[in-house]
Amino acid sequence: MIKWGFSVHRIRSSNRILLVLLVALLLAVACAGSQGGRPGGLPDEINDDFLAEDLDVDEWVESFEGESRGVYAQRHAIVAALGLAPGDRIADIGAGTGFFSFLFSPKVGDEGRVYAVEIAPRFLELLRARARELELANLRVVEGTDRSVELPTESIDVAFICDVYHHFEYPFDSLASLHRAIRPGGSLVLIDFERIPGQSSEWLLEHVRAGREVFTAEIESAGFRLSDEIFLDDLEGNYILRFDRTD
Ligand SMILES: C[S@@+](CC[C@H](N)C(=O)[O-])C[C@H]1O[C@@H](n2cnc3c(N)ncnc32)[C@H](O)[C@@H]1O
């Protein structure tokens, strides 16, 4: 059997430099993929529909706010489970058509704040129009980017991420911006799809790049600790996890 030390020793010095450079390159590529870059398995077109200039908001209101959608049908139970109190500051990351943000608003009251964060221009317009119409003085619509939630440092107690994490194109960058925005001891609530190879539909297996174990590991690596799972009797196909900011 050839031992590594012996074979490397015999490689000529110019080849050795090339070998070192090659290993360094491979490590750099691996780190980019796992930390800063687009994660493996993420569909290229994951946000294309939302970002389209001609996005039909009425169509998406119908789709996101239909009683056949589990998280919509269970929206009041989900909001109740968060245990929001007057004065709390919560960010609805990837607010979409905004129905969760609008339910958070009366829970946190005049002293509290709701940030509805979006990256899709037509949803941002819709959120602003709906917030104006509903006269929600404690709600701010925030334009995020695909790498940052664009919220001030330690400005929120809770980040709420429903059906959005698997849409993050640069999850580690987005998580770093969330870690900055959440106050020490604050929390991140993740709602996403159960993804079980052999059980979930082909569409879901392709659309959602990973299951709860991978998402949990990613979020914990960004300075959070899984602290709780919320079970709702009538919510099928989704899980709800709470993470606390640890440092
Ligand atoms: C499936 S929709 C969910 C909308 C809403 N949370 C709901 O449950 O009805 C995903 C949303 O995430 C938004 N999104 C995707 N990547 C994002 C990011 N990096 N930051 C903020 N929002 C993002 C999309 O524009 C889209 O509105």
Side-chain angles (χ1 to χ4, degrees):
M1 195 176 74
I2 298 173
K3 288 198 174 124
W4 268 107
F6 176 70
S7 57
V8 169
H9 182 71
R10 294 186 56 146
I11 294 172
R12 286 209 324 262
S13 68
S14 60
N15 285 352
R16 220 182 298 164
I17 291 168
L18 273 179
L19 183 68
V20 169
L21 286 174
L22 184 66
V23 170
L25 184 69
L26 286 174
L27 277 175
V29 170
C31 286
S34 66
Q35 289 293 319
R38 286 174 64 96
L42 182 79
D44 284 344
E45 70 296 345
I46 189 83
N47 288 314
D48 286 3
D49 285 349
F50 302 133
L51 296 173
E53 283 297 319
D54 60 351
L55 172 130
D56 181 342
V57 286
D58 295 334
E59 203 178 283
W60 287 99
V61 168
E62 209 175 307
S63 163
F64 287 163
E65 302 183 14
E67 292 293 338
S68 61
R69 184 178 181 223
V71 292
Y72 185 75
Q74 293 303 309
R75 61 196 180 284
H76 295 292
I78 291 171
V79 174
L82 296 181
L84 292 172
D88 283 350
R89 302 160 304 163
I90 181 167
D92 182 7
I93 308 297
T97 58
F99 66 89
F100 275 119
S101 292
F102 307 141
L103 293 175
F104 296 152
S105 173
K107 298 281 181 201
V108 301
D110 291 343
E111 304 300 312
R113 180 76 84 219
V114 180
Y115 297 98
V117 180
E118 248 306 328
I119 59 167
R122 299 302 311 276
F123 281 149
L124 285 160
E125 282 171 20
L126 176 71
L127 289 165
R128 289 189 185 108
R130 285 181 130 185
R132 247 193 328 268
E133 203 173 303
L134 294 167
E135 297 181 0
L136 302 175
N138 63 358
L139 190 147
R140 300 283 178 278
V141 176
V142 176
E143 181 166 5
T145 73
D146 56 3
R147 291 182 186 264
S148 167
V149 295
E150 298 293 322
L151 291 170
T153 302
E154 295 177 16
S155 58
I156 55 172
D157 303 294
V158 189
F160 176 81
I161 309 177
C162 175
D163 194 357
V164 172
Y165 188 83
H166 65 267
H167 284 266
F168 280 173
E169 300 193 42
Y170 302 96
F172 292 98
D173 289 348
S174 294
L175 282 170
S177 74
L178 280 161
H179 189 268
R180 275 193 301 276
I182 297 170
R183 68 160 168 79
S187 60
L188 179 159
V189 175
L190 174 74
I191 305 184
D192 221 297
F193 290 102
E194 294 288 9
R195 182 190 190 278
I196 305 168
Q199 278 185 37
S200 304
S201 69
E202 278 307 308
W203 177 83
L204 193 142
L205 293 174
E206 279 189 17
H207 179 73
V208 179
R209 67 179 167 85
R212 62 157 78 198
E213 292 78 12
V214 170
F215 289 171
T216 296
E218 290 178 0
I219 293 167
E220 290 200 322
S221 78
F224 297 92
R225 183 179 46 85
L226 178 62
S227 57
D228 197 12
E229 174 161 10
I230 296 168
F231 296 95
L232 296 179
D233 286 347
D234 296 320
L235 184 64
E236 280 174 25
N238 290 101
Y239 54 85
I240 309 178
L241 303 177
R242 185 189 285 273
F243 297 83
D244 294 334
R245 184 181 147 168
T246 50
D247 55 351

